[in-house]
Amino acid sequence: MWFLRPDCLTAFEEREIRDSIPRYIDVVEGRKLPLFKLSKIIRLEPTDDFWKAHEEGLRILREILEKDETPKRGEEGISLLDVKAYLSLELAGKCRFCEWRCGVNRIEGESGACRVKETRVSSAFIHMGEEPPVSPSGTIFFSGCNFKCIYCQNWDISQFPESGRVVSPEKLAALMDDLRRRGVRNINLVGGEPTPNIHTIMLSLRYASEDFPVIWNSNMYMSEEGMKLLLGIVDLWLPDFKYWEDECARTLSGIPRYSEVVRRNLSMAYEFPPGEIIVRHLVLPNHVECCTKPILTWVARNIPRALVNIMDQYRPEYRAHQVPRMNRRVSSDEMREAFELADSLKLRWRSVSR
């Protein structure tokens, strides 16, 4: 037995939430099909150029979403989801899921920057601690990550890709269906990081039978190709936006070109319908001026309908104590500056920040 928090019970009544993520709410409540089910329905002509077929499938899906229609299931051709699954295996063969672009053969068990050789799930359960419109969430934690954040609170999952248990696409689909039947609002793909497992996820959705919205809970460092595969699959994006300055990303997470890649991917997610996003920004000690303020300003100017969770949960975990400027909790003054800026920018943050 589990109990829903009062703020989760009333979340869909909040105007800020209803205005920002209306289609997600409709999918949760069974009024509309999730995007992966629409991608199963859309049929495409067989072709040797799968990327061209994929672009045509996204065009059809965009038209369906903009007209708010439910297409009839076709019998001829191949589905958009099948095309995505095929292309995900192609990307895995010379891995280009994220911007490390390692080029290793993930199908044969080779590993790159993330060190993920095979899809492993650390845990799968009903999560009651997510944002109000997300909880209760069917969270699936994948082992491994393409980042090396010195303050990672899930370091025992993210930095140990050999942890957890190996899952096949069929097993992953069974986990998703079981969580939905137990009453969760969504399937929340997290980690670690879900990105190294895009191929397993795409294949698993071909087997999933329940109707559930897919949440992509990610560091958002996908390659452009990886991002395109997720368009038309992800109903609600739940991305981190950690840093504005690339030097901060290199120092604290070991990541190059961070800001450029994340801004590109957030824009792609926002521009493809329904474009529903809850941005998570963890305020870091001594990083309000260099990161928090420019990030919130960029969100207000570029993805203004997005909800924004301004988080004060930072604590010096893992190896953060080794960096003097990171060896403390964020101060009340730093949080006040972030909240005041969010209000001045008219961001939609109050309904999802706790």
Side-chain angles (χ1 to χ4, degrees):
M1 179 179 292
W2 45 271
F3 298 93
L4 200 57
R5 300 192 327 253
D7 59 339
C8 298
L9 279 169
T10 60
F12 292 171
E13 299 170 14
E14 290 273 354
R15 181 174 180 178
E16 188 174 79
I17 291 173
R18 291 200 321 270
D19 289 349
S20 299
I21 53 173
R23 192 176 194 283
Y24 163 78
I25 295 172
D26 283 343
V27 177
V28 170
E29 297 185 339
R31 290 186 292 274
K32 292 182 180 177
L33 286 176
L35 294 183
F36 84 90
K37 284 291 183 77
L38 290 179
S39 291
K40 278 186 178 181
I41 293 172
I42 293 171
R43 295 283 164 168
L44 303 166
E45 293 291 328
T47 176
D48 292 333
D49 190 340
F50 278 81
W51 279 111
K52 183 177 180 181
H54 184 262
E55 290 301 313
E56 174 63 10
L58 288 185
R59 185 196 66 77
I60 294 170
L61 179 57
R62 179 188 287 273
E63 188 174 290
I64 288 167
L65 292 169
E66 289 174 346
K67 292 181 178 178
D68 198 17
E69 298 175 340
T70 300
K72 294 181 180 179
R73 184 180 299 275
E75 298 299 329
E76 301 295 326
I78 55 177
S79 75
L80 175 57
L81 183 57
D82 287 336
V83 171
K84 287 178 176 291
Y86 175 88
L87 289 172
S88 72
L89 291 172
E90 182 180 275
L91 290 187
K94 293 182 179 179
C95 194
R96 304 189 304 282
F97 285 144
C98 81
E99 282 294 345
W100 282 111
R101 295 182 171 273
C102 297
V104 299
N105 190 337
R106 296 282 311 290
I107 305 299
E108 297 297 327
E110 296 178 4
S111 63
C114 67
R115 298 177 293 132
V116 175
K117 293 183 178 181
E118 53 200 349
T119 297
R120 288 176 175 264
V121 168
S122 174
S123 61
F125 61 95
I126 299 172
H127 197 333
M128 303 300 296
E130 301 284 53
E131 288 83 353
V134 176
S135 300
S137 183
T139 52
I140 298 176
F141 281 80
F142 294 97
S143 303
C145 185
N146 51 357
F147 280 26
K148 292 180 172 60
C149 303
I150 65 166
Y151 53 86
C152 182
Q153 296 178 7
N154 286 336
W155 61 269
D156 56 331
I157 298 172
S158 67
Q159 302 308 307
F160 291 90
E162 71 278 7
S163 64
R165 63 191 186 278
V166 177
V167 293
S168 65
E170 295 90 340
K171 177 62 176 177
L172 184 56
L175 283 174
M176 295 175 179
D177 283 340
D178 178 65
L179 286 165
R180 179 61 163 173
R181 290 172 189 137
R182 291 165 60 193
V184 300
R185 283 176 166 167
N186 51 66
I187 296 301
N188 185 352
L189 304 172
V190 62
E193 172 62 29
T195 299
N197 307 288
I198 286 176
H199 57 315
T200 308
I201 291 165
M202 291 294 168
L203 291 165
S204 73
L205 291 172
R206 298 171 71 213
Y207 297 104
S209 59
E210 295 294 315
D211 290 348
F212 50 77
V214 172
I215 290 184
W216 193 254
N217 190 337
S218 168
N219 59 36
M220 221 60 181
Y221 199 63
M222 291 80 72
S223 66
E224 190 169 0
E225 302 98 309
M227 188 68 196
K228 285 179 179 179
L229 292 185
L230 293 169
L231 298 176
I233 295 295
V234 175
D235 296 273
L236 178 63
W237 301 86
L238 197 56
D240 290 333
F241 198 163
K242 298 176 183 290
Y243 316 107
W244 184 259
E245 295 292 340
D246 282 340
E247 182 58 31
C248 300
R250 281 191 292 269
T251 301
L252 300 179
S253 295
I255 297 299
R257 295 177 52 239
Y258 173 87
S259 185
E260 168 198 343
V261 171
V262 171
R263 283 183 280 124
R264 179 199 69 204
N265 289 342
L266 285 173
S267 295
M268 289 177 69
Y270 188 75
E271 290 164 7
F272 190 89
E276 297 181 357
I277 306 175
I278 303 176
V279 176
R280 285 176 168 172
H281 174 64
L282 180 66
V283 181
L284 299 174
N286 300 300
H287 285 263
V288 171
E289 293 296 329
C290 60
C291 292
T292 296
K293 289 184 178 180
I295 283 172
L296 296 183
T297 301
W298 183 89
V299 169
R301 291 174 178 171
N302 294 275
I303 53 173
R305 295 192 313 276
L307 294 165
V308 186
N309 184 356
I310 304 172
M311 304 165 69
D312 67 353
Q313 288 94 326
Y314 175 82
R315 56 183 186 270
E317 293 272 354
Y318 192 35
R319 297 190 291 110
H321 65 278
Q322 299 173 3
V323 180
R325 287 170 55 85
M326 299 297 291
N327 195 20
R328 66 169 176 85
R329 297 290 297 264
V330 65
S331 71
S332 58
D333 285 343
E334 287 169 320
M335 290 307 303
R336 186 181 69 253
E337 283 190 67
F339 293 151
E340 288 177 351
L341 178 60
D343 277 336
S344 70
L345 293 170
K346 296 182 170 53
L347 289 175
R348 303 177 179 190
W349 70 276
R350 290 185 175 273
S351 60
V352 292
S353 299
R354 292 185 292 112

